[in-house]
Amino acid sequence: MVMNGENPANGDRSGPASGPGPGSTSGSASGSASASGDGSAPVGLRERKKRLTYQAVSDAAITMFLERGFDKVSVAEVAAAADISKPTLFRYFPAKEDLVLHRFADHEDEAARVVTGRSPDETPLDALRRHFLDGLDRRDPVTGLCDVPQVLAFLRLLYGTPSLVARLHAYQGRSEAALARALGGGLSDRLAAGQIVAVLRILALENWRRIDAGESADRVYAGAVQAAEEAFAQLRTGLEPPSRPRG
């Protein structure tokens, strides 16, 4: 699961996306009208209003889903709560699941952005490792190492709803494709991207499972760092151990 953004416990984060917790605001939506969330390009008033509408409708939907359950809230009810028509809602969110997974939309190309934005003397894998470890240190929800109650409630909604889990795979597939392009686009790059995205997802899921079972983020931190180091070492060396000369 590749999620980055604002950590409700630690303040603003770099990157244009919101964190996965309900009620958090997207950096790109809450930034100034003249700049994008990552400060890289101007954002017009129309685009800013569009982003704010996305955020407001998603927030209203998630609040209702958390209170009553995803399957017990209709799209019509969400539209009414957001004071828009049902057809308008579907122009913003093609599927009901996207009302929740809007939280992930800006994260699809995050790994790709880390790779393309790395320093010249840093390998793609080193850049991704650094980025993930930094996220652990900041208790970024993308790493699963976040025990903020709102974030945990959101993740329980996500992982407890089969249709949301299924829809999430599409987001992860696009993340994998973006990373493969950033790596070069060849077959070996696509293979590498698939492995990297899978590692990031599994690491985050394991951290979340431990916290959901009752451990604090601070308690899980050391083990999460060790697991990440081992995972990136395995990515670097491959699944097989180095061959040893016979003798």
Side-chain angles (χ1 to χ4, degrees):
M1 175 181 64
V2 181
M3 299 182 303
N4 196 5
E6 178 183 338
N7 185 334
N10 293 301
D12 289 341
R13 294 275 331 288
S14 61
S18 68
S24 62
T25 56
S26 169
S28 56
S30 61
S32 67
S34 61
S36 67
D38 60 5
S40 60
V43 174
L45 180 60
R46 183 174 182 178
E47 178 63 20
R48 175 174 165 77
K49 288 182 176 180
K50 181 179 179 180
R51 294 180 181 183
L52 289 172
T53 300
Y54 270 111
Q55 192 68 39
V57 176
S58 177
D59 286 348
I62 290 173
T63 296
M64 297 173 73
F65 296 152
L66 289 174
E67 289 176 350
R68 295 163 49 194
F70 181 80
D71 295 326
K72 294 182 179 179
V73 178
S74 69
V75 172
E77 289 176 296
V78 174
D83 197 26
I84 60 175
S85 68
K86 187 174 176 181
T88 297
L89 185 147
F90 277 123
R91 283 200 295 271
Y92 283 97
F93 301 95
K96 181 182 177 183
E97 289 77 12
D98 292 327
L99 288 161
V100 176
L101 295 174
H102 166 65
R103 290 285 187 266
F104 294 85
D106 286 339
H107 305 303
E108 288 181 10
D109 65 346
E110 183 178 350
R113 286 187 279 111
V114 170
V115 168
T116 57
R118 73 189 190 280
S119 62
D121 60 344
E122 192 173 34
T123 68
L125 200 58
D126 285 341
L128 290 163
R129 169 189 168 276
R130 170 184 51 77
H131 183 74
F132 190 81
L133 291 176
D134 183 57
L136 290 176
D137 187 57
R138 290 180 283 105
R139 306 297 189 266
D140 189 335
V142 70
T143 67
L145 194 68
C146 182
D147 52 13
V148 174
Q150 286 184 319
V151 173
L152 291 178
F154 175 86
L155 293 176
R156 288 179 185 126
L157 170 70
L158 172 63
Y159 293 124
T161 308
S163 63
L164 291 176
V165 174
R167 188 74 170 179
L168 180 59
H169 288 312
Y171 282 75
Q172 293 170 336
R174 289 193 288 271
S175 178
E176 181 182 315
L179 177 56
R181 290 192 297 271
L183 292 172
L187 175 59
S188 63
D189 302 308
R190 297 198 300 275
L191 291 170
Q195 294 174 68
I196 291 167
V197 169
V199 162
L200 295 175
R201 174 181 58 82
I202 292 168
L203 288 172
L205 185 58
E206 178 62 20
N207 292 338
W208 173 75
R209 282 174 174 166
R210 290 184 62 182
I211 290 175
D212 188 51
E215 296 184 72
S216 69
D218 288 344
R219 182 177 179 84
V220 175
Y221 175 72
V225 170
Q226 180 179 352
E229 293 284 22
E230 292 175 355
F232 277 94
Q234 186 170 328
L235 281 171
R236 187 172 289 106
T237 60
L239 297 178
E240 295 292 339
S243 60
R244 297 179 180 178
R246 296 180 180 179

